[in-house]
């Protein structure tokens, strides 16, 4: 896609040069977000940008733009690049400074670097209809998974394990307690109740998770935030994951074992329908 954002300006992608000593590049010292675009409209942008500021604050980065200014820029970026179904990737790093672990001093005048670009990404319609396979993997991440940090090495390794097993996602667990997916939140369904890990430092509180929670409350579907075990996972009536790009994705097989009857269950299909209505409603509200 043609244009990108650097700092507070839109510019040609070909122009950008990243400093070799950018702390995002060397230390993963930064935070990021991915926002979905449906039919040219940004979905839950305010929530994503809100989380970007929260993540930055948690690692003591002050973003040098006001949220309103950032939203404005991102909207312009999507319009200029004529994104239809796609996504915006955005990140803020602590900036470029001579390499040393501690933060740059105020005297160095190092400024955080904000960048964003867009991609055209088709919705995973077929996968959402038929469901996907997953593997389980030990969650070897740090204890601040609530921060959407650039440090994704454990997530990358887990996703690669899944890919090598011909699977879509790795479901992570800490000594048998399921936390979340390598890039998604995880849910089990039993007797009409949706259950997921509480939103604490062990997981990222997904924006899709928050939307799903609202949908469940609005539709009187029990939404329980209580951790569950691998045993619970294998015995569940239904299992699904959520994320910005995967939306609400049924899991039909885990570690080679069938979930339920091996096809997407009634609850996940209902939640997909409700989510679809939410997307349409939000896009109408933006017209
Ligand atoms: C570790 C992790 N958990 C959960 C999610 C889901 O978050 P969201 O619904 O905001 O995309 C993601 C998304 O990338 C993630 O990386």
């Amino acid at each position: 896609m043609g244009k990108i954002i650097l700092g507070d300006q839109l510019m040609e992608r070909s122009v950008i040069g990243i400093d070799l000593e950018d702390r995002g590049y060397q230390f993963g010292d930064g935070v990021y977000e991915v926002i979905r675009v449906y039919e040219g409209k940004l979905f839950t942008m305010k929530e994503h940008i809100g989380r970007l500021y929260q993540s930055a604050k948690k690692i003591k980065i002050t973003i040098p733009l006001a949220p309103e200014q950032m939203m404005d820029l991102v909207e312009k970026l999507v319009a200029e690049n004529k994104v239809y179904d796609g996504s915006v990737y955005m990140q803020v790093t602590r900036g470029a400074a001579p390499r040393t672990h501690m933060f740059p001093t105020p005297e160095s005048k190092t400024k955080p670097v904000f960048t964003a670009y867009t991609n055209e990404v088709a919705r995973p319609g077929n996968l959402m209809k038929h469901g996907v396979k997953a593997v389980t993997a030990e969650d070897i991440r740090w204890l601040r998974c609530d921060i959407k940090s650039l440090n994704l090495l454990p997530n990358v390794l887990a996703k690669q394990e899944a890919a090598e097993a011909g699977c879509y996602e790795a479901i992570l667990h800490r000594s048998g307690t399921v936390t979340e997916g390598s890039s998604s939140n995880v849910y089990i369904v039993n007797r009409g109740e949706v259950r997921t890990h509480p939103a604490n430092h062990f997981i990222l509180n997904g924006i899709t998770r928050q939307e799903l929670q609202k949908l469940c409350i609005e539709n009187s579907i029990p939404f329980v935030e209580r951790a569950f075990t691998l045993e619970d996972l294998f015995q569940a009536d239904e299992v699904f994951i959520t994320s910005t790009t995967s939306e609400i994705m049924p899991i039909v097989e885990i570690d080679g074992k069938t979930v339920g009857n091996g096809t997407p269950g009634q609850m996940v299909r209902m939640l997909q329908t409700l989510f679809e209505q939410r997307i349409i409603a939000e896009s109408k509200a933006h017209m």
Side-chain angles (χ1 to χ4, degrees), residues 32-34 48 51 141 145 148 152 155 172 180-185 203-209 242-245:
Y32 77 105
E33 274 299 326
V34 180
H48 281 281
R51 187 172 63 184
R141 298 174 301 162
C145 299
K148 204 164 166 64
L152 289 174
N155 310 60
L172 307 178
E180 60 181 339
S182 72
S183 62
S184 61
N185 292 113
I203 71 157
L204 181 76
N205 189 4
I207 302 299
T208 323
R209 181 188 183 280
T242 65
S243 82
T244 294
T245 41

Side-chain angles (χ1 to χ4, degrees), residues 13-51:
R13 185 171 186 153
S14 54
V15 168
I16 192 172
I18 297 290
D19 194 309
L20 278 178
E21 286 189 309
D22 187 287
R23 293 177 61 92
Y25 184 52
Q26 292 190 324
F27 296 105
D29 187 359
V31 293
Y32 77 105
E33 274 299 326
V34 180
I35 313 180
R36 202 69 169 91
V37 179
Y38 293 118
E39 301 186 1
K41 309 258 170 22
L42 282 142
F43 182 66
T44 55
M45 170 172 63
K46 222 173 151 186
E47 288 79 358
H48 281 281
I49 288 187
R51 187 172 63 184

Side-chain angles (χ1 to χ4, degrees), residues 225-246:
E225 296 181 271
R226 200 168 74 241
F228 54 88
T229 63
L230 282 175
E231 209 181 331
D232 297 325
L233 181 77
F234 286 111
Q235 284 169 2
D237 294 345
E238 299 180 36
V239 177
F240 67 92
I241 58 171
T242 65
S243 82
T244 294
T245 41
S246 296

Side-chain angles (χ1 to χ4, degrees), residues 89-230:
Y89 176 87
M90 47 208 288
Q91 69 171 40
V92 183
T93 73
R94 202 177 303 279
R99 188 185 182 279
T100 174
H101 286 54
M102 64 197 155
F103 295 177
T105 58
E107 293 75 54
S108 74
K109 303 239 173 352
T110 301
K111 274 221 187 81
V113 175
F114 170 57
T115 48
Y117 66 91
T118 62
N119 267 324
E120 198 64 47
V121 192
R123 295 183 63 189
N126 219 21
L127 297 178
M128 286 197 286
K129 189 165 168 210
H130 299 291
V132 295
K133 299 178 190 174
V135 290
T136 58
E138 185 75 37
D139 190 343
I140 58 167
R141 298 174 301 162
W142 69 335
L143 297 174
R144 290 307 307 275
C145 299
D146 53 309
I147 301 172
K148 204 164 166 64
S149 132
L150 294 178
N151 283 279
L152 289 174
L153 198 47
N155 310 60
V156 166
L157 294 174
K159 186 74 96 188
Q160 182 60 22
E161 256 183 61
E164 285 173 9
C167 293
Y168 184 84
E169 179 60 304
I171 296 177
L172 307 178
H173 65 93
R174 288 193 192 261
S175 308
T177 298
V178 174
T179 50
E180 60 181 339
S182 72
S183 62
S184 61
N185 292 113
V186 179
Y187 310 76
I188 57 173
V189 180
N190 282 309
R191 293 169 298 281
E193 178 188 276
V194 176
R195 183 169 164 191
T196 194
H197 196 286
N200 57 21
H201 61 285
F202 288 119
I203 71 157
L204 181 76
N205 189 4
I207 302 299
T208 323
R209 181 188 183 280
Q210 294 171 45
E211 288 303 304
L212 184 86
Q213 184 172 19
K214 280 187 232 160
L215 286 176
C216 283
I217 292 168
E218 284 165 19
N219 292 279
S220 309
I221 298 163
F223 184 90
V224 178
E225 296 181 271
R226 200 168 74 241
F228 54 88
T229 63
L230 282 175

